[in-house]
Amino acid sequence: MNGIVVVGLFDAVDPAAAAARALRALPLPEGDVTTLSPMPLPDGAVCTDPRGIGFPRVTLVGWFVGALAGLSLALGTYLLYPLITGGKAIISVPPTLIITYEVAMLGALAGTVIAGFREMGLCRFRTRLIHDPRIQEGKILLCARVSGDEEAKRAMEAMKSAGGIDVRPEEGEL
Amino acid sequence: MEIKWAMAIDLDRCTGCGACVVACVAENNIPVVGEAEVEKGRLMQWIRVARYWEGEHPEAQAVYLPVPCMQCERAPCETVCPVYATYHNEDGLNAMVYNRCVGTRYCGNNCPYSVRVFNWFDHKWEKPLDEQLSPDLTTRSRGVMEKCTFCIQRIRRAKETAAAEGREIRDGEAVPACVQTCPPGALLFGNVADPHSEIARKLKDPRRFRLMEHLGTEPRVVYLKRLKGAGR
Amino acid sequence: MNGSDHLSRTDPGALYRELSRSNLPVTKKWWLGMGLLAILALWGIGCFVYMMKTGMGVTGLNRPVMWGSFITSFVFWIGLSHSGTLISAILRLTNATWRAPILRGAEALTAFTLMVGGLFPLIHIGRNWRFYYMIPYPNSRQLWPNLRSPLMWDAVAINTYLLGSLTFLYFGMIPDLAIARDHATGWRKKFYTVLALGFRGSHNEWRRYHVASTIFAILIIPVAVSVHSIVGWDFAMAKVPGWHSTIFAPYFVTGAIFSGIAAVVIVMATLRKVFRLERVLTVVQFENLGKLLCMMSLLWGYFYFSDFLTVWYNRNPEEWEVFRSYAGDFLPLFLVMILCNFVVSFPLLCMRRVRRSIPALSFVSLLVVIGMYAERFLIVVPSLARRNDPFIWHDYFPSWVEFSIMAGALALFLLLYTIFTKLFPIMAISDIQEHLFHTSDRKIGGVTVESIAMPHDTGKGGHG
């Protein structure tokens, strides 16, 4: 069941910021007010993002998982199946370090991709997402997630009085 | 008894005749690549007789150095092969697995003695020359490295015979083609781990040296220095 | 115009049209160009198949020079791939404000040069159809690759770097694909919709996007350094005189960055000309690239001199014979290298006039690219041609098959790059828009200067 989101187009940052202030005074929680913009706006210019960013931890986890995989490849397989060449030891430390390091970086990369994409909310193809292609003309779409018609009406009024164009309720997710 | 194959090359006796090279080519199914290819540097000889000149004309003297595969204890070719196509076997030989070779040629680059040769083309033996091929070993396809194996097929044959007769292999039973053929008897082959073998005795000679020893490859081929003096 | 209030200093629609000229529908000239490149690439592929069926003997390789133009090309192309990484990653991390217009082109350069470079290990092996022996896959014959071989380190490292670069390229493109999606119609709209993964530019998305971009940039730099160090170690691990040098790892990385920046200059100058991007790819970008190129030329010269000095001073016979050949049989190539990389390039690059002139800088970059190919060749071949045993010394010259494959590889790269520019946004539109948004004019006394805002993410931001 998709939620109701009130959206409004704004021409410039200042009116959008004023509208956002009014919305937060309604009151609406900070996490429910956000913008869609063609380029990133500084945090706090119009709205803020109270949720912490957690996926860098997965990068670290990915690094260690990759390191373990690399170690198993370079060290583990040789311990299991030893083969003598050139008078050198079965377990060679420098090549093991090299392979471990490379696969560790691959693991960190994979971790960042997977966790980062998830936390950004990409690849949600089956959800109906709020979007307006007119932001590419340089406009900001201010979005407010509301619960109920009463709140929706007050949000629409706040946006209209701050100078919003085409203020309307939409069904979808932020 | 432990087996450690080694070869002794007495440079006092070597005349540079090249019979060892011919014997090796005949024994090991080595193709004859032709003059054009030799010009391009694709000569396929598992043992080569390198010739160096000492002194200036007209006193210049030729020095001959037969160079087979050194079968190094710490072979630089073994560690760099990405697919383990070359390894060290229990007899202390550097063994080559033709089927595994993918032809990166890193081993050929890493051999300081440049004893490894590469099959640049497929080779055909036109009839009736194909009847001279030894059935004890393969002919190699294009893209595969090959090198002197101390005639491992002869070693294996001697070991099998000895095992069938229920005894140890005796000194002089396993003889590579080059050693067998050398007219002045400059080449000697045997098991240095056997204290009674001829080679163990020969290697007590104070003239002994190994090629490019400073590289740390620990070769199994020992040379005996040519002594100069009256009549030489 | 009040820059701090409006979202962009120019009309965004016009900006998009200007930056996305490469994505316009194909013309006859485009098909002609692609056709020529395709023919050249197919010729190269055909020569490769011929070589595979006949044997490596159709090349100029021999004993002892068992590695020649293919390995040279391999090192060269992998070296070129260090362009994008260094530009995007390092410039991103150091917050260089001039980087936005060259980001995408450089990242694409990295990805495609890596792909082409990664072909050469498959091309140069004797039994190419058995290449999978180098992959560690479970099999019933208890066979496993030898991970102590530097060639296997190559395989792992280049794999990691390729995946990393492609991720970097794709991830950097997501906001631009979203912009393209919003502007496109027809099959392109569907294409971009799928690729943009639903990116809409919400505040949450942007914040996390920045963090992820930074993390990728931090991750890709050590990978890039390690990759070319490992390529250098292919040589340094060998018992070949002239190869067995401890300086090879940093020397190769430096050479890679050097040739990479030169490649970026050439590619950017070409894009600027072809797609009329003069307003975006300005003299600022090229001058800064020129400064980087100047520094790298000096650094390369320093490393080369260091390598030469130790050998020259010691006169170790094995190594000295290799270096002596630079004054003998390899003199022409040596002169090309030293002139193109340092003697001609460095003084030119020191001149502000050269750095600020795009044709002059492109010419110097072309010299550098040629000089670096000569340098790679001089690393690989003389050491093998004049190695330990003088009896088997032999010269090497590439055959027509090798030249064809080299040309085919270049054609393949150009083909891939051209298709990329046609299908994908070649300019980092969102980065450029972001830069323009932060830039405003500020009046200080009697002059008006450009002022760039530098917002930083506080985590829990205050209210506007």
Side-chain angles (χ1 to χ4, degrees):
Chain A
M1 177 61 212
N2 291 322
I4 308 281
V5 177
V6 173
V7 303
L9 268 179
F10 289 84
D11 256 338
V13 179
D14 285 336
R21 264 196 301 273
L23 285 172
R24 277 190 293 269
L26 271 184
L28 274 179
E30 267 186 55
D32 280 350
V33 178
T34 189
T35 55
L36 256 56
S37 50
M39 83 286 290
L41 297 166
D43 197 38
V46 176
C47 61
T48 65
D49 179 22
R51 281 178 5 216
I53 299 178
F55 73 87
R57 263 169 274 166
V58 183
T59 306
L60 202 59
V61 169
W63 197 92
F64 282 106
V65 168
L68 198 64
L71 209 60
S72 317
L73 180 66
L75 190 68
T77 56
Y78 286 92
L79 287 173
L80 289 173
Y81 300 100
L83 190 62
I84 302 169
T85 56
K88 298 231 174 16
I90 299 292
I91 295 139
S92 317
V93 173
T96 308
L97 288 176
I98 293 171
I99 306 277
T100 305
Y101 163 78
E102 290 294 339
V103 186
M105 298 305 280
L106 195 59
L109 203 78
T112 312
V113 169
I114 297 172
F117 278 27
R118 263 204 83 212
E119 207 173 303
M120 276 172 68
L122 297 175
C123 299
R124 285 185 292 169
F125 286 115
R126 255 167 279 162
T127 339
R128 193 195 157 85
L129 298 166
I130 300 292
H131 182 52
D132 192 331
R134 282 176 290 177
I135 58 174
Q136 302 303 344
E137 295 162 19
K139 300 190 171 32
I140 303 178
L141 190 78
L142 187 63
C143 314
R145 186 172 29 223
V146 293
S147 46
D149 287 329
E150 182 54 45
E151 223 177 17
K153 248 205 320 217
R154 282 188 294 151
M156 282 170 67
E157 261 179 49
M159 279 202 211
K160 277 202 203 111
S161 57
I165 314 158
D166 193 16
V167 182
R168 62 198 186 275
E170 288 233 359
E171 239 188 69
E173 291 296 320
L174 280 178
Chain B
M1 180 180 50
E2 197 198 351
I3 294 182
K4 279 167 51 164
W5 299 117
M7 187 184 279
I9 300 180
D10 192 343
L11 294 176
D12 243 346
R13 292 180 176 218
C14 176
T15 60
C17 66
C20 51
V21 178
V22 177
C24 176
V25 169
E27 169 74 19
N28 292 296
N29 303 344
I30 300 175
V32 176
V33 294
E35 201 173 327
E37 282 296 296
V38 174
E39 290 268 299
K40 291 193 200 150
R42 282 91 173 264
L43 182 59
M44 292 189 71
Q45 287 176 342
W46 287 10
I47 179 171
R48 65 172 181 272
V49 178
R51 181 198 62 223
Y52 305 97
W53 296 104
E54 251 179 9
E56 294 294 322
H57 181 77
E59 287 94 30
Q61 278 218 315
V63 179
Y64 297 103
L65 195 74
V67 183
C69 170
M70 302 281 146
Q71 315 285 350
C72 307
E73 267 306 290
R74 299 181 135 259
C77 56
E78 289 170 9
T79 28
V80 293
C81 175
V83 290
Y84 278 133
T86 175
Y87 70 100
H88 224 70
N89 72 11
E90 332 77 45
D91 290 353
L93 293 179
N94 174 265
M96 191 66 207
V97 184
Y98 303 124
N99 280 337
R100 181 71 171 161
C101 178
V102 285
T104 57
R105 304 186 296 286
Y106 202 165
C107 59
N109 280 337
N110 219 20
C111 174
Y113 310 100
S114 305
V115 291
R116 283 177 164 270
V117 287
F118 187 70
N119 284 282
W120 300 101
F121 292 108
D122 278 322
H123 306 284
K124 277 197 298 285
W125 281 262
E126 309 267 343
K127 284 189 178 311
L129 290 175
D130 57 335
E131 297 192 22
Q132 81 178 51
L133 292 171
S134 165
D136 287 337
L137 67 162
T138 62
T139 56
R140 282 70 59 186
S141 88
R142 67 185 186 282
V144 169
M145 289 293 282
E146 56 182 45
K147 67 170 188 74
C148 159
T149 57
F150 274 2
C151 285
I152 195 168
Q153 69 275 14
R154 291 181 170 213
I155 295 173
R156 291 252 165 86
R157 191 53 73 92
K159 278 173 132 181
E160 281 166 17
T161 315
E165 291 172 13
R167 56 168 176 83
E168 295 267 0
I169 187 171
R170 287 194 281 259
D171 185 37
E173 274 194 320
V175 179
C178 52
V179 176
Q180 179 189 19
T181 310
C182 177
L187 300 173
L188 184 64
F189 181 79
N191 179 10
V192 282
D194 177 2
H196 303 295
S197 64
E198 195 183 340
I199 195 165
R201 282 179 274 136
K202 186 110 187 195
L203 288 182
K204 295 203 180 99
D205 196 323
R207 295 182 294 146
R208 67 180 179 277
F209 75 95
R210 290 187 294 187
L211 216 52
M212 298 190 218
E213 253 183 296
H214 64 283
L215 292 175
T217 51
E218 292 178 27
R220 279 296 184 74
V221 173
V222 182
Y223 290 85
L224 301 175
K225 223 178 343 186
R226 187 169 69 116
L227 291 176
K228 287 168 232 183
R232 290 184 207 271
Chain C
M1 170 166 113
N2 195 344
S4 63
D5 197 25
H6 284 270
L7 289 179
S8 55
R9 298 172 91 195
T10 66
D11 170 22
L15 183 69
Y16 177 74
R17 274 193 301 280
E18 184 176 343
L19 296 176
S20 64
R21 265 197 210 108
S22 70
N23 295 356
L24 287 173
V26 295
T27 60
K28 271 214 172 67
K29 264 203 321 191
W30 193 85
W31 281 120
L32 186 66
M34 296 296 283
L36 288 171
L37 287 175
I39 290 174
L40 198 55
L42 283 171
W43 169 250
I45 294 173
C47 288
F48 164 67
V49 173
Y50 166 64
M51 184 180 76
M52 196 164 69
K53 292 185 86 115
T54 319
M56 298 294 294
V58 300
T59 64
L61 295 168
N62 54 64
R63 177 175 76 166
V65 187
M66 295 202 180
W67 279 357
S69 74
F70 294 147
I71 292 294
T72 307
S73 299
F74 164 65
V75 181
F76 176 72
W77 284 103
I78 302 286
L80 285 186
S81 77
H82 278 54
S83 50
T85 309
L86 279 318
I87 302 261
S88 314
I90 290 188
L91 294 187
R92 232 183 254 270
L93 288 178
T94 54
N95 233 339
T97 51
W98 54 277
R99 71 181 186 276
I102 56 174
L103 282 179
R104 185 63 30 72
E107 285 166 12
L109 186 67
T110 293
F112 295 120
T113 49
L114 257 184
M115 284 186 210
V116 171
L119 285 178
F120 278 98
L122 299 174
I123 294 175
H124 103 282
I125 59 178
R127 292 206 300 165
N128 324 71
W129 55 98
R130 294 257 185 265
F131 73 94
Y132 55 87
Y133 283 174
M134 293 195 269
I135 302 173
Y137 66 95
N139 55 74
S140 57
R141 287 177 288 170
Q142 300 199 328
L143 298 171
W144 203 243
N146 179 14
L147 287 171
R148 260 166 295 161
S149 170
L151 297 179
M152 289 305 299
W153 308 342
D154 258 349
V156 177
I158 289 173
N159 228 347
T160 303
Y161 191 36
L162 181 63
L163 290 173
S165 307
L166 285 173
T167 307
F168 203 54
L169 175 68
Y170 177 55
F171 191 75
M173 267 204 298
I174 291 179
D176 298 326
L177 290 167
I179 296 175
R181 168 198 64 201
D182 290 338
H183 276 108
T185 53
W187 66 268
R188 281 176 182 266
K189 192 175 184 71
K190 217 155 179 263
F191 181 59
Y192 295 134
T193 309
V194 171
L195 286 174
L197 299 180
F199 186 86
R200 301 155 298 135
S202 81
H203 188 66
N204 303 343
E205 281 175 358
W206 278 123
R207 270 194 80 215
R208 282 161 182 75
Y209 179 77
H210 270 300
V211 173
S213 294
T214 311
I215 293 179
F216 281 134
I218 296 172
L219 286 178
I220 205 82
I221 294 175
V223 174
V225 170
S226 70
V227 163
H228 223 73
S229 299
I230 287 173
V231 170
W233 286 339
D234 278 347
F235 303 103
M237 299 294 139
K239 271 199 204 290
V240 176
W243 279 8
H244 193 62
S245 168
T246 53
I247 210 173
F248 264 33
Y251 171 48
F252 269 65
V253 175
T254 308
I257 301 174
F258 187 34
S259 57
I261 297 179
V264 171
V265 169
I266 296 174
V267 168
M268 286 293 124
T270 313
L271 287 178
R272 182 177 186 270
K273 197 76 193 291
V274 173
F275 298 122
R276 302 191 315 278
L277 294 164
E278 290 88 357
R279 281 216 311 152
V280 205
L281 283 169
T282 62
V283 174
V284 173
Q285 270 71 37
F286 286 95
E287 184 177 6
N288 285 321
L289 284 174
K291 285 184 203 161
L292 284 176
L293 202 62
C294 181
M295 179 188 79
M296 293 315 297
S297 174
L298 194 57
L299 207 57
W300 178 87
Y302 160 70
F303 271 110
Y304 199 80
F305 181 66
S306 306
D307 194 29
F308 180 80
L309 183 66
T310 43
V311 173
W312 174 85
Y313 205 88
N314 260 313
R315 304 287 173 107
N316 230 345
E318 287 163 336
E319 290 175 326
W320 186 238
E321 284 303 318
V322 172
F323 278 73
R324 231 164 47 95
S325 71
Y326 288 175
D329 289 310
F330 292 101
L331 184 65
L333 210 56
F334 180 75
L335 285 176
V336 166
M337 175 190 78
I338 207 77
L339 287 170
C340 288
N341 280 353
F342 190 76
V343 175
V344 172
S345 309
F346 180 65
L348 282 178
L349 287 168
C350 285
M351 298 197 282
R352 200 152 176 267
R353 262 197 344 190
V354 171
R355 288 198 305 266
R356 288 183 74 87
S357 151
I358 295 176
L361 192 64
S362 307
F363 172 69
V364 175
S365 302
L366 191 64
L367 285 184
V368 168
V369 166
I370 294 171
M372 284 311 290
Y373 196 87
E375 188 244 27
R376 304 310 195 201
F377 193 88
L378 281 174
I379 289 175
V380 175
V381 177
S383 290
L384 294 174
R386 297 286 179 270
R387 62 177 309 175
N388 312 64
D389 185 357
F391 183 68
I392 43 97
W393 282 0
H394 202 277
D395 280 322
Y396 162 77
F397 195 79
S399 69
W400 64 270
V401 172
E402 292 172 277
F403 280 119
S404 305
I405 293 179
M406 282 195 265
L410 181 63
L412 186 65
F413 164 74
L414 291 172
L415 208 63
L416 288 173
Y417 202 86
T418 315
I419 295 176
F420 178 83
T421 60
K422 184 52 66 182
L423 287 177
F424 294 90
I426 197 63
M427 284 284 127
I429 302 170
S430 58
D431 284 87
I432 295 173
Q433 278 181 338
E434 183 181 352
H435 176 69
L436 288 173
F437 175 61
H438 287 153
T439 313
S440 56
D441 291 323
R442 179 177 152 188
K443 206 165 182 303
I444 301 179
V447 287
T448 308
V449 293
E450 217 174 61
S451 170
I452 301 176
M454 297 255 174
H456 53 96
D457 196 77
T458 52
K460 304 218 186 290
H463 298 285

